[in-house]
Amino acid sequence: MHEAELHDLSDDADYAAAQQQESTSTIRCDSEKRRSSNEPEGAEIVYSKDNVTIHPTQFASERISGRLKLIKQSSSLFLTWIPYKGQSTNARLSEKDMNLYTIRAVPFADVRSIRRHTPTLGWQYIIVVLSSGLAFPPLYFYNGGVREFLATVKQHVFLMRSAEDANIFLVNNFQNPLQQTLSSLELPRAVSIACVPSTPDLGGESASHENGERNDVAILDESPSTLRYDRRERQKVHDPARDISIQVLEKFSLVTKFARETTSQLLWETQNNAPSLFERINFNQSILDSSQKLHNDAAEVPIPVPSDPFELNNLSLAWGKPRQPPLGLEEWATFLDSEGRVVDSDALRKRIFYGGVEHKVRKKVWKILLGYEAYDSTYAERESQRSIKRTEYGIIKNQWQSISPEQEKRFTKFRQRKGLIEKDVVRTDRSISFYSEDGNPNLNLLHDILLTYSFYNFDLGYCQGMNDLLSPILFVMEDESESFWCFATLMERLGPNFNRDQNGMHSQLFALSKLVELLDGPLHNYFKQKDCLNYFICFRWILLQFKRELEFEKTMLLWEVLWTHHLSEHLHLYVCVAILKRYRGKIMEEQMEFDTLLKFINELSGQIDIDAILRDAEALCSCAGENGVACIPPGTPPSLSLDNDIFFNPELEDKVL
């Protein structure tokens, strides 16, 4: 279950403030439709709700509260959400950043559906999905009011429940029944981002109105390619609101000639490509006007390619140290004392950062880097822990192995996750000999570990993409129990990337946009002019830690470098910046638009020189310094300390001995 569902409301400042405010201004009443002096002539507020909130990150202090309105003008219904000004916060979100989320005058003629989420604990929220395949961030109703909101909408537009999901409400949907079904099946995979021109204002809902700045939307991964799947197979593919991440992530390498408005059709086929999506990050107060102008102008003035203020060749010479040979077995032994403890963990991490690890040493080193074994544990303590954890793994695994066919018939969640895992496993790294050939026992291990993890972390369960993260770990460990526990520690860091609210991905892409603005202003301005400030072209890079971009061996090298947390625990974001900077000239010279940029980025797969990129990333990280740290919100994944010893517990050893 997610944080919002488990949150103790009595300790939440936003909730307490909401409880103190008047609630009488919230619910629309047929006999008392209100009119505001801020609305244009002929506009009527038919619904207004205070303390409707967006959660940009997992921190309560960074939530943004505002007022949600339904406004009727002539025969059209519009939706707006305006954040309050002067909200007290101890977070790093400025008021300008908060205003990025303003939703301004969206006509319901452009809305495809509304998805309602009603957790057992916590707040209800809705996700509004546009007909273009875009979606707004989740809107949380702290004081209730979702039912009244939907009832008001229903009085002004044609609203009907999806036949496949009672929590999905289709708006003005007059398609044939088959198309209705296909659309509704895709809705749970809406993910926050934005890379579209803003919706025009509705009269008085201009930039001067109340708190508003601009529209913030998100792409929905939705595709007619659904037709390729049998309906029964599709129904058990996902945990409806949670498996948001990878469905989108698999599609973008298919982009060849489709423009922005058709990319939503690319997001649901096989698991061979591309990313999910994210909220617009736009820091220029005038972007609303400029993006609209760019959208309307038939011709654009070509952008000259300015000089790079941080040329990578110079930076690499100044800060990026040459790569070293990988850490070998003999050298590894020099870092250990006679009982197996790592003598100098900082020196070890630095050594791995600059050279990586030989494959024959990876099994020993990865268990320590991932936190499964402690740096200061002895050989005897590690062996004892392995025995304890192997037994614990067997107990967890037996939970699903003991489910009878009759039980499984009555266990929908289990059937869904099992079906999705089975489908993904057979498509995982089959070009690698370790996983090639049908009936490969390693595929069975991959299946069993993923299904066991879905019971170990039942709230998160299984999401597509986890198979990609587990595959190299199993390849290195060649042991079921140890692979499971190493994967579990990795998911402690990367699990937020797969959460329903996408806070983990949100915060990382937010930080990436800030870093690009800091380290390459011209490229940032170019993306701003092309209305691509969301940086979701990097989504797959971040979610799968570049696994789809690199050869298998190079992926393992990059991962062990990232896991050292040397220089920064967010080095992967600097890797993103380094890749973008490497190709900035080509991107800007060829005036790449959204679709061509997306195609270009995905075609970089297999062409990235990871050694050069790591040098560049190191140089950029050193150059950014404290300013770079300030770009990254607190709690941005991966946030688990390398010294975390959640798996090594001497008390357990004492009990066994």
Side-chain angles (χ1 to χ4, degrees):
M1 202 171 282
H2 297 283
E3 177 191 324
E5 298 173 25
L6 296 174
H7 197 72
D8 181 359
L9 304 186
S10 63
D11 292 334
D12 190 278
D14 289 332
Y15 179 79
Q19 293 298 88
Q20 295 173 4
Q21 293 201 18
E22 293 287 329
S23 61
T24 57
S25 64
T26 61
I27 300 176
R28 177 246 185 222
C29 177
D30 287 335
S31 62
E32 295 181 344
K33 293 180 181 178
R34 291 156 295 163
R35 179 167 299 176
S36 168
S37 59
N38 291 326
E39 309 307 327
E41 185 67 24
E44 184 177 31
I45 301 175
V46 295
Y47 175 93
S48 178
K49 186 69 175 177
D50 282 311
N51 297 301
V52 176
T53 303
I54 287 175
H55 296 179
T57 71
Q58 65 266 46
F59 296 103
S61 61
E62 296 185 354
R63 294 171 184 162
I64 306 172
S65 296
R67 178 175 298 149
L68 179 69
K69 293 181 182 180
L70 293 176
I71 302 172
K72 186 173 183 181
Q73 186 174 26
S74 300
S75 60
S76 300
L77 187 68
F78 297 84
L79 178 142
T80 68
W81 179 85
I82 310 295
Y84 300 137
K85 282 187 176 179
Q87 298 186 55
S88 60
T89 176
N90 57 7
R92 299 188 184 183
L93 289 177
S94 66
E95 186 162 317
K96 182 171 71 171
D97 293 334
M98 291 182 182
N99 286 330
L100 297 174
Y101 296 92
T102 299
I103 300 173
R104 181 171 307 291
V106 177
F108 271 79
D110 294 341
V111 175
R112 172 185 295 159
S113 64
I114 301 168
R115 180 173 179 86
R116 176 183 64 183
H117 294 261
T118 54
T120 304
L121 297 175
W123 307 289
Q124 294 185 358
Y125 64 94
I126 62 171
I127 297 176
V128 177
V129 180
L130 303 181
S131 56
S132 61
L134 305 171
F136 290 103
L139 296 168
Y140 290 83
F141 287 67
Y142 281 4
N143 291 339
V146 171
R147 180 177 299 179
E148 292 82 358
F149 172 82
L150 293 172
T152 304
V153 172
K154 189 172 184 179
Q155 296 207 7
H156 297 277
V157 299
F158 179 70
L159 192 68
M160 63 176 291
R161 286 182 188 268
S162 164
E164 300 296 332
D165 190 332
N167 285 316
I168 296 172
F169 296 85
L170 305 177
V171 179
N172 295 327
N173 188 286
F174 304 106
Q175 304 174 27
N176 62 60
L178 174 60
Q179 289 302 313
Q180 291 180 5
T181 298
L182 296 178
S183 298
S184 64
L185 282 172
E186 297 300 323
L187 294 178
R189 295 180 173 79
V191 185
S192 299
I193 72 137
C195 192
V196 296
S198 302
T199 304
D201 292 344
L202 172 68
E205 294 283 325
S206 64
S208 63
H209 174 48
E210 203 166 6
N211 316 301
E213 291 296 333
R214 61 182 57 87
N215 186 351
D216 185 52
V217 291
I219 288 184
L220 165 73
D221 89 6
E222 178 268 339
S223 170
S225 63
T226 307
L227 288 167
R228 301 186 183 185
Y229 294 89
D230 178 82
R231 175 181 294 184
R232 290 173 297 176
E233 182 178 350
R234 288 294 311 281
Q235 287 175 338
K236 64 180 180 181
V237 157
H238 66 287
D239 175 354
R242 194 183 299 279
D243 295 336
I244 304 174
S245 308
I246 306 272
Q247 306 300 326
V248 191
L249 128 83
E250 296 309 306
K251 307 306 145 203
F252 283 89
S253 68
L254 300 177
V255 176
T256 55
K257 60 182 178 180
F258 298 108
R260 181 185 322 247
E261 58 270 23
T262 61
T263 55
S264 62
Q265 299 176 351
L266 304 174
L267 308 179
W268 217 105
E269 281 176 358
T270 66
Q271 195 187 357
N272 294 327
N273 307 306
S276 185
L277 316 143
F278 177 65
E279 328 237 271
R280 170 192 299 201
I281 307 298
N282 181 349
F283 306 107
N284 190 309
Q285 290 288 349
S286 64
I287 189 61
L288 179 66
D289 296 330
S290 62
S291 64
Q292 187 64 40
K293 180 179 183 296
L294 288 170
H295 179 64
N296 294 333
D297 288 348
E300 294 181 354
V301 178
I303 307 172
V305 180
S307 60
D308 188 346
F310 299 104
E311 285 291 348
L312 287 175
N313 292 336
N314 296 332
L315 282 175
S316 297
L317 290 174
W319 286 290
K321 299 179 182 178
R323 304 296 298 166
Q324 300 175 12
L327 176 72
L329 192 59
E330 292 184 3
E331 187 180 2
W332 159 249
T334 65
F335 285 94
L336 307 176
D337 65 14
S338 60
E339 295 185 322
R341 301 180 186 87
V342 176
V343 178
D344 188 340
S345 62
D346 290 337
L348 175 62
R349 289 196 286 257
K350 184 177 182 180
R351 174 65 180 87
I352 296 170
F353 178 88
Y354 285 109
V357 180
E358 288 184 0
H359 185 71
K360 59 186 177 182
V361 192
R362 279 194 170 121
K363 183 172 182 177
K364 301 175 184 293
V365 174
W366 278 25
K367 287 187 284 189
I368 292 178
L369 286 178
L370 285 168
Y372 171 54
E373 294 178 348
Y375 283 91
D376 59 355
S377 61
T378 65
Y379 294 127
E381 290 169 342
R382 293 171 194 160
E383 183 59 37
S384 174
Q385 180 189 242
R386 281 194 289 272
S387 177
I388 294 169
K389 304 308 288 187
R390 187 172 290 109
T391 300
E392 185 177 347
Y393 173 74
I395 293 172
I396 302 170
K397 182 177 179 180
N398 186 61
Q399 292 176 4
W400 63 263
Q401 285 186 321
S402 62
I403 295 176
S404 68
E406 288 300 314
Q407 284 179 296
E408 186 171 336
K409 290 179 182 178
R410 298 167 175 81
F411 198 166
T412 302
K413 184 69 69 178
F414 174 68
R415 293 198 312 273
Q416 289 176 340
R417 290 177 175 176
K418 181 181 177 183
L420 184 54
I421 290 170
E422 289 172 350
K423 207 158 68 168
D424 290 346
V425 161
V426 298
R427 300 184 296 205
T428 303
D429 292 323
R430 299 305 298 274
S431 62
I432 307 299
S433 60
F434 189 78
Y435 294 111
S436 64
E437 300 181 3
D438 293 335
N440 190 319
N442 294 321
L443 293 177
N444 296 332
L445 291 179
L446 200 66
H447 168 276
D448 290 356
I449 294 171
L450 290 170
L451 197 52
T452 303
Y453 181 78
S454 74
F455 273 72
Y456 172 75
N457 188 348
F458 199 82
D459 290 338
L460 184 59
Y462 173 77
C463 303
Q464 286 183 302
M466 291 182 180
N467 54 315
D468 279 294
L469 298 177
L470 172 61
S471 172
I473 294 176
L474 179 58
F475 176 80
V476 169
M477 297 299 157
E478 297 185 289
D479 178 272
E480 184 176 358
S481 172
E482 293 188 340
S483 296
F484 171 84
W485 291 114
C486 287
F487 175 70
T489 59
L490 179 63
M491 291 307 297
E492 289 293 319
R493 306 175 185 185
L494 302 183
N497 292 351
F498 297 92
N499 280 347
R500 176 190 305 172
D501 56 15
Q502 290 287 287
N503 278 339
M505 292 304 302
H506 178 114
S507 58
Q508 288 172 90
L509 288 171
F510 182 95
L512 176 59
S513 66
K514 290 283 194 180
L515 288 173
V516 173
E517 186 177 25
L518 172 69
L519 295 167
D520 197 336
L523 182 60
H524 176 83
N525 292 334
Y526 176 84
F527 285 148
K528 180 174 68 176
Q529 180 171 342
K530 296 300 181 182
D531 202 17
C532 293
L533 279 176
N534 54 73
Y535 291 92
F536 85 91
I537 55 175
C538 305
F539 193 98
R540 185 174 74 180
W541 297 355
I542 294 174
L543 189 68
L544 296 185
Q545 301 289 281
F546 303 91
K547 182 173 181 291
R548 296 289 176 85
E549 322 312 318
L550 304 172
E551 298 173 356
F552 200 79
E553 173 63 30
K554 294 299 183 181
T555 298
M556 293 188 290
L557 168 63
L558 175 63
W559 284 11
E560 58 204 16
V561 169
L562 296 179
W563 294 343
T564 65
H565 290 189
H566 180 66
L567 296 185
S568 171
E569 66 176 359
H570 300 104
L571 186 72
H572 65 296
L573 299 179
Y574 291 95
V575 171
C576 292
V577 179
I579 297 173
L580 292 174
K581 287 178 71 66
R582 279 278 166 179
Y583 296 97
R584 70 187 293 275
K586 183 177 179 64
I587 291 171
M588 297 173 70
E589 286 172 2
E590 297 185 10
Q591 290 288 291
M592 292 186 185
E593 301 284 349
F594 170 83
D595 53 334
T596 53
L597 177 60
L598 194 57
K599 177 178 180 290
F600 172 75
I601 290 296
N602 282 280
E603 288 178 347
L604 291 178
S605 181
Q607 302 182 40
I608 296 174
D609 182 347
I610 193 58
D611 289 330
I613 290 299
L614 282 173
R615 290 188 64 190
D616 295 346
E618 178 195 359
L620 291 167
C621 184
S622 299
C623 180
E626 290 301 316
N627 291 327
V629 174
C631 290
I632 303 173
T636 297
S639 56
L640 181 67
S641 169
L642 282 173
D643 295 322
N644 186 293
D645 57 356
I646 61 173
F647 285 100
F648 182 73
N649 188 343
E651 295 182 3
L652 292 177
E653 178 189 19
D654 294 340
K655 292 179 182 178
V656 172
L657 298 178

